[in-house]
Amino acid sequence: MILALDIGGTKIAVGTVSNKGVVVSRETFATPASGGKVVINAIVAAIARHKTPKTKAIGLAIAGQIDSVLGVVRSSPNLKLTKIPLHSIITRKFRLPVAIENDACCFTIGEAVYGAGRGHKSVFGVTIGTGIGGGIVLEKKVFRGATDSAS
């Protein structure tokens, strides 16, 4: 089972998906308006509510500029997060593999592999929510640019 979170400026969606792609649990709640540490605490609490002994990994799709290699939220203005080592925070707390990526890049890779972009070598996606974001996928890989900050 994989535990996935979509963390945006107005809502946080949490879901657990089985190895066969079946959604086992889901929850959506408002992102704490105060931002910062309160958002981190809300993320940790949501993971704790949905994690089971069968959970094998955690995926975080988060709005803002994300360094997915280092697992750091460089800047997420709507969440009031700057230079937060979210990957290490979640890994330390739950002792599971964790992946962190910009939410628009997650949307775009999803469309490239499973959605409207399936079968195409290049896919460009735009998300509009609390803010606007975008992602580029080339041959099923997120394009990051020279400084790992194309998102």
Side-chain angles (χ1 to χ4, degrees), residues 108-109 111-113 116-124 136-143:
T108 306
I109 193 79
E111 286 296 327
V113 175
R118 187 177 27 209
H120 297 279
K121 287 186 175 188
S122 303
V123 178
F124 174 69
I136 299 171
V137 173
L138 305 173
E139 303 207 12
K140 298 184 182 176
K141 293 183 181 170
V142 174
F143 175 74

PDB file of all heavy atoms in Angstrom, residues 108-109 111-113 116-124 136-143:
ATOM      1  N   THR A 108       1.234  16.246 -13.922  1.00  0.00           N
ATOM      2  CA  THR A 108       1.684  16.066 -15.296  1.00  0.00           C
ATOM      3  C   THR A 108       2.207  14.662 -15.547  1.00  0.00           C
ATOM      4  O   THR A 108       1.899  14.057 -16.581  1.00  0.00           O
ATOM      5  CB  THR A 108       2.745  17.129 -15.657  1.00  0.00           C
ATOM      6  OG1 THR A 108       2.213  18.431 -15.388  1.00  0.00           O
ATOM      7  CG2 THR A 108       3.115  17.055 -17.129  1.00  0.00           C
ATOM      8  N   ILE A 109       2.960  14.104 -14.621  1.00  0.00           N
ATOM      9  CA  ILE A 109       3.443  12.732 -14.817  1.00  0.00           C
ATOM     10  C   ILE A 109       2.272  11.754 -14.797  1.00  0.00           C
ATOM     11  O   ILE A 109       2.253  10.773 -15.548  1.00  0.00           O
ATOM     12  CB  ILE A 109       4.560  12.337 -13.808  1.00  0.00           C
ATOM     13  CG1 ILE A 109       5.252  11.033 -14.235  1.00  0.00           C
ATOM     14  CG2 ILE A 109       4.058  12.171 -12.411  1.00  0.00           C
ATOM     15  CD1 ILE A 109       6.256  11.169 -15.306  1.00  0.00           C
ATOM     16  N   GLU A 111      -0.777  12.371 -15.872  1.00  0.00           N
ATOM     17  CA  GLU A 111      -1.410  12.478 -17.191  1.00  0.00           C
ATOM     18  C   GLU A 111      -0.559  11.821 -18.264  1.00  0.00           C
ATOM     19  O   GLU A 111      -1.075  11.194 -19.188  1.00  0.00           O
ATOM     20  CB  GLU A 111      -1.669  13.943 -17.549  1.00  0.00           C
ATOM     21  CG  GLU A 111      -2.817  14.567 -16.795  1.00  0.00           C
ATOM     22  CD  GLU A 111      -4.163  13.930 -17.102  1.00  0.00           C
ATOM     23  OE1 GLU A 111      -4.396  13.468 -18.248  1.00  0.00           O
ATOM     24  OE2 GLU A 111      -5.006  13.876 -16.193  1.00  0.00           O
ATOM     25  N   ALA A 112       0.769  11.956 -18.152  1.00  0.00           N
ATOM     26  CA  ALA A 112       1.671  11.379 -19.152  1.00  0.00           C
ATOM     27  C   ALA A 112       1.633   9.853 -19.136  1.00  0.00           C
ATOM     28  O   ALA A 112       1.696   9.211 -20.186  1.00  0.00           O
ATOM     29  CB  ALA A 112       3.099  11.877 -18.922  1.00  0.00           C
ATOM     30  N   VAL A 113       1.531   9.267 -17.967  1.00  0.00           N
ATOM     31  CA  VAL A 113       1.601   7.813 -17.850  1.00  0.00           C
ATOM     32  C   VAL A 113       0.218   7.163 -17.919  1.00  0.00           C
ATOM     33  O   VAL A 113       0.038   6.136 -18.574  1.00  0.00           O
ATOM     34  CB  VAL A 113       2.332   7.410 -16.543  1.00  0.00           C
ATOM     35  CG1 VAL A 113       2.303   5.903 -16.334  1.00  0.00           C
ATOM     36  CG2 VAL A 113       3.764   7.923 -16.562  1.00  0.00           C
ATOM     37  N   ALA A 116      -4.480  11.630 -20.348  1.00  0.00           N
ATOM     38  CA  ALA A 116      -4.606  12.166 -21.702  1.00  0.00           C
ATOM     39  C   ALA A 116      -3.287  12.200 -22.461  1.00  0.00           C
ATOM     40  O   ALA A 116      -3.282  12.178 -23.695  1.00  0.00           O
ATOM     41  CB  ALA A 116      -5.212  13.569 -21.651  1.00  0.00           C
ATOM     42  N   GLY A 117      -2.175  12.234 -21.768  1.00  0.00           N
ATOM     43  CA  GLY A 117      -0.865  12.276 -22.426  1.00  0.00           C
ATOM     44  C   GLY A 117      -0.264  10.917 -22.714  1.00  0.00           C
ATOM     45  O   GLY A 117       0.818  10.820 -23.305  1.00  0.00           O
ATOM     46  N   ARG A 118      -0.960   9.859 -22.331  1.00  0.00           N
ATOM     47  CA  ARG A 118      -0.440   8.500 -22.535  1.00  0.00           C
ATOM     48  C   ARG A 118      -0.118   8.281 -24.015  1.00  0.00           C
ATOM     49  O   ARG A 118      -0.901   8.617 -24.893  1.00  0.00           O
ATOM     50  CB  ARG A 118      -1.470   7.490 -22.056  1.00  0.00           C
ATOM     51  CG  ARG A 118      -0.995   6.075 -22.068  1.00  0.00           C
ATOM     52  CD  ARG A 118      -2.012   5.101 -21.533  1.00  0.00           C
ATOM     53  NE  ARG A 118      -3.365   5.596 -21.714  1.00  0.00           N
ATOM     54  CZ  ARG A 118      -4.374   5.293 -20.932  1.00  0.00           C
ATOM     55  NH1 ARG A 118      -4.187   4.502 -19.915  1.00  0.00           N
ATOM     56  NH2 ARG A 118      -5.575   5.766 -21.150  1.00  0.00           N
ATOM     57  N   GLY A 119       1.061   7.737 -24.267  1.00  0.00           N
ATOM     58  CA  GLY A 119       1.466   7.457 -25.639  1.00  0.00           C
ATOM     59  C   GLY A 119       2.228   8.589 -26.309  1.00  0.00           C
ATOM     60  O   GLY A 119       2.746   8.428 -27.401  1.00  0.00           O
ATOM     61  N   HIS A 120       2.313   9.752 -25.638  1.00  0.00           N
ATOM     62  CA  HIS A 120       3.045  10.888 -26.191  1.00  0.00           C
ATOM     63  C   HIS A 120       4.414  10.985 -25.526  1.00  0.00           C
ATOM     64  O   HIS A 120       4.555  10.717 -24.332  1.00  0.00           O
ATOM     65  CB  HIS A 120       2.270  12.195 -25.981  1.00  0.00           C
ATOM     66  CG  HIS A 120       0.958  12.204 -26.699  1.00  0.00           C
ATOM     67  ND1 HIS A 120       0.843  12.494 -28.031  1.00  0.00           N
ATOM     68  CD2 HIS A 120      -0.299  11.953 -26.257  1.00  0.00           C
ATOM     69  CE1 HIS A 120      -0.419  12.420 -28.393  1.00  0.00           C
ATOM     70  NE2 HIS A 120      -1.143  12.088 -27.327  1.00  0.00           N
ATOM     71  N   LYS A 121       5.420  11.421 -26.283  1.00  0.00           N
ATOM     72  CA  LYS A 121       6.772  11.545 -25.734  1.00  0.00           C
ATOM     73  C   LYS A 121       6.918  12.771 -24.842  1.00  0.00           C
ATOM     74  O   LYS A 121       7.688  12.766 -23.887  1.00  0.00           O
ATOM     75  CB  LYS A 121       7.799  11.614 -26.861  1.00  0.00           C
ATOM     76  CG  LYS A 121       8.011  10.293 -27.550  1.00  0.00           C
ATOM     77  CD  LYS A 121       9.140  10.386 -28.540  1.00  0.00           C
ATOM     78  CE  LYS A 121       9.407   9.018 -29.129  1.00  0.00           C
ATOM     79  NZ  LYS A 121      10.606   9.030 -29.956  1.00  0.00           N
ATOM     80  N   SER A 122       6.187  13.833 -25.137  1.00  0.00           N
ATOM     81  CA  SER A 122       6.282  15.084 -24.375  1.00  0.00           C
ATOM     82  C   SER A 122       4.890  15.494 -23.907  1.00  0.00           C
ATOM     83  O   SER A 122       3.931  15.454 -24.679  1.00  0.00           O
ATOM     84  CB  SER A 122       6.845  16.202 -25.257  1.00  0.00           C
ATOM     85  OG  SER A 122       8.096  15.834 -25.772  1.00  0.00           O
ATOM     86  N   VAL A 123       4.800  15.867 -22.650  1.00  0.00           N
ATOM     87  CA  VAL A 123       3.528  16.322 -22.086  1.00  0.00           C
ATOM     88  C   VAL A 123       3.792  17.559 -21.243  1.00  0.00           C
ATOM     89  O   VAL A 123       4.728  17.592 -20.441  1.00  0.00           O
ATOM     90  CB  VAL A 123       2.866  15.225 -21.211  1.00  0.00           C
ATOM     91  CG1 VAL A 123       1.581  15.734 -20.588  1.00  0.00           C
ATOM     92  CG2 VAL A 123       2.608  13.966 -22.036  1.00  0.00           C
ATOM     93  N   PHE A 124       2.963  18.576 -21.448  1.00  0.00           N
ATOM     94  CA  PHE A 124       3.031  19.807 -20.657  1.00  0.00           C
ATOM     95  C   PHE A 124       1.715  19.933 -19.914  1.00  0.00           C
ATOM     96  O   PHE A 124       0.645  19.814 -20.508  1.00  0.00           O
ATOM     97  CB  PHE A 124       3.238  21.015 -21.579  1.00  0.00           C
ATOM     98  CG  PHE A 124       3.176  22.335 -20.874  1.00  0.00           C
ATOM     99  CD1 PHE A 124       4.162  22.714 -19.986  1.00  0.00           C
ATOM    100  CD2 PHE A 124       2.111  23.201 -21.091  1.00  0.00           C
ATOM    101  CE1 PHE A 124       4.104  23.931 -19.327  1.00  0.00           C
ATOM    102  CE2 PHE A 124       2.041  24.422 -20.439  1.00  0.00           C
ATOM    103  CZ  PHE A 124       3.041  24.784 -19.560  1.00  0.00           C
ATOM    104  N   ILE A 136       6.555  19.664 -16.959  1.00  0.00           N
ATOM    105  CA  ILE A 136       6.914  19.151 -18.273  1.00  0.00           C
ATOM    106  C   ILE A 136       7.436  17.733 -18.060  1.00  0.00           C
ATOM    107  O   ILE A 136       8.290  17.494 -17.199  1.00  0.00           O
ATOM    108  CB  ILE A 136       8.013  20.005 -18.933  1.00  0.00           C
ATOM    109  CG1 ILE A 136       7.521  21.443 -19.113  1.00  0.00           C
ATOM    110  CG2 ILE A 136       8.438  19.400 -20.268  1.00  0.00           C
ATOM    111  CD1 ILE A 136       8.608  22.408 -19.557  1.00  0.00           C
ATOM    112  N   VAL A 137       6.919  16.808 -18.854  1.00  0.00           N
ATOM    113  CA  VAL A 137       7.367  15.431 -18.805  1.00  0.00           C
ATOM    114  C   VAL A 137       7.878  15.061 -20.186  1.00  0.00           C
ATOM    115  O   VAL A 137       7.175  15.216 -21.183  1.00  0.00           O
ATOM    116  CB  VAL A 137       6.225  14.485 -18.363  1.00  0.00           C
ATOM    117  CG1 VAL A 137       6.639  13.037 -18.483  1.00  0.00           C
ATOM    118  CG2 VAL A 137       5.815  14.799 -16.928  1.00  0.00           C
ATOM    119  N   LEU A 138       9.120  14.607 -20.227  1.00  0.00           N
ATOM    120  CA  LEU A 138       9.744  14.167 -21.471  1.00  0.00           C
ATOM    121  C   LEU A 138      10.088  12.691 -21.333  1.00  0.00           C
ATOM    122  O   LEU A 138      10.838  12.314 -20.426  1.00  0.00           O
ATOM    123  CB  LEU A 138      11.013  14.974 -21.753  1.00  0.00           C
ATOM    124  CG  LEU A 138      10.843  16.503 -21.786  1.00  0.00           C
ATOM    125  CD1 LEU A 138      12.189  17.187 -21.913  1.00  0.00           C
ATOM    126  CD2 LEU A 138       9.919  16.900 -22.926  1.00  0.00           C
ATOM    127  N   GLU A 139       9.477  11.874 -22.178  1.00  0.00           N
ATOM    128  CA  GLU A 139       9.703  10.425 -22.155  1.00  0.00           C
ATOM    129  C   GLU A 139       9.504   9.834 -20.760  1.00  0.00           C
ATOM    130  O   GLU A 139      10.360   9.116 -20.244  1.00  0.00           O
ATOM    131  CB  GLU A 139      11.062  10.091 -22.758  1.00  0.00           C
ATOM    132  CG  GLU A 139      11.157  10.645 -24.175  1.00  0.00           C
ATOM    133  CD  GLU A 139      12.096   9.886 -25.078  1.00  0.00           C
ATOM    134  OE1 GLU A 139      12.532   8.785 -24.731  1.00  0.00           O
ATOM    135  OE2 GLU A 139      12.360  10.428 -26.159  1.00  0.00           O
ATOM    136  N   LYS A 140       8.389  10.197 -20.143  1.00  0.00           N
ATOM    137  CA  LYS A 140       7.956   9.692 -18.833  1.00  0.00           C
ATOM    138  C   LYS A 140       8.847  10.103 -17.672  1.00  0.00           C
ATOM    139  O   LYS A 140       8.840   9.475 -16.615  1.00  0.00           O
ATOM    140  CB  LYS A 140       7.768   8.179 -18.862  1.00  0.00           C
ATOM    141  CG  LYS A 140       6.685   7.744 -19.828  1.00  0.00           C
ATOM    142  CD  LYS A 140       6.456   6.264 -19.779  1.00  0.00           C
ATOM    143  CE  LYS A 140       5.407   5.885 -20.791  1.00  0.00           C
ATOM    144  NZ  LYS A 140       5.193   4.467 -20.860  1.00  0.00           N
ATOM    145  N   LYS A 141       9.619  11.180 -17.850  1.00  0.00           N
ATOM    146  CA  LYS A 141      10.452  11.705 -16.769  1.00  0.00           C
ATOM    147  C   LYS A 141      10.188  13.197 -16.629  1.00  0.00           C
ATOM    148  O   LYS A 141      10.101  13.926 -17.620  1.00  0.00           O
ATOM    149  CB  LYS A 141      11.934  11.465 -17.048  1.00  0.00           C
ATOM    150  CG  LYS A 141      12.301  10.004 -17.026  1.00  0.00           C
ATOM    151  CD  LYS A 141      13.769   9.812 -17.229  1.00  0.00           C
ATOM    152  CE  LYS A 141      14.077   8.320 -17.223  1.00  0.00           C
ATOM    153  NZ  LYS A 141      15.425   8.046 -17.634  1.00  0.00           N
ATOM    154  N   VAL A 142      10.083  13.657 -15.385  1.00  0.00           N
ATOM    155  CA  VAL A 142       9.864  15.077 -15.125  1.00  0.00           C
ATOM    156  C   VAL A 142      11.098  15.854 -15.559  1.00  0.00           C
ATOM    157  O   VAL A 142      12.229  15.525 -15.180  1.00  0.00           O
ATOM    158  CB  VAL A 142       9.564  15.327 -13.629  1.00  0.00           C
ATOM    159  CG1 VAL A 142       9.490  16.818 -13.326  1.00  0.00           C
ATOM    160  CG2 VAL A 142       8.268  14.637 -13.218  1.00  0.00           C
ATOM    161  N   PHE A 143      10.885  16.901 -16.342  1.00  0.00           N
ATOM    162  CA  PHE A 143      11.969  17.791 -16.742  1.00  0.00           C
ATOM    163  C   PHE A 143      12.155  18.815 -15.640  1.00  0.00           C
ATOM    164  O   PHE A 143      11.217  19.483 -15.232  1.00  0.00           O
ATOM    165  CB  PHE A 143      11.628  18.487 -18.064  1.00  0.00           C
ATOM    166  CG  PHE A 143      12.653  19.502 -18.467  1.00  0.00           C
ATOM    167  CD1 PHE A 143      13.883  19.108 -18.962  1.00  0.00           C
ATOM    168  CD2 PHE A 143      12.402  20.862 -18.339  1.00  0.00           C
ATOM    169  CE1 PHE A 143      14.847  20.043 -19.327  1.00  0.00           C
ATOM    170  CE2 PHE A 143      13.334  21.798 -18.694  1.00  0.00           C
ATOM    171  CZ  PHE A 143      14.572  21.402 -19.197  1.00  0.00           C
TER     172      PHE A 143
END
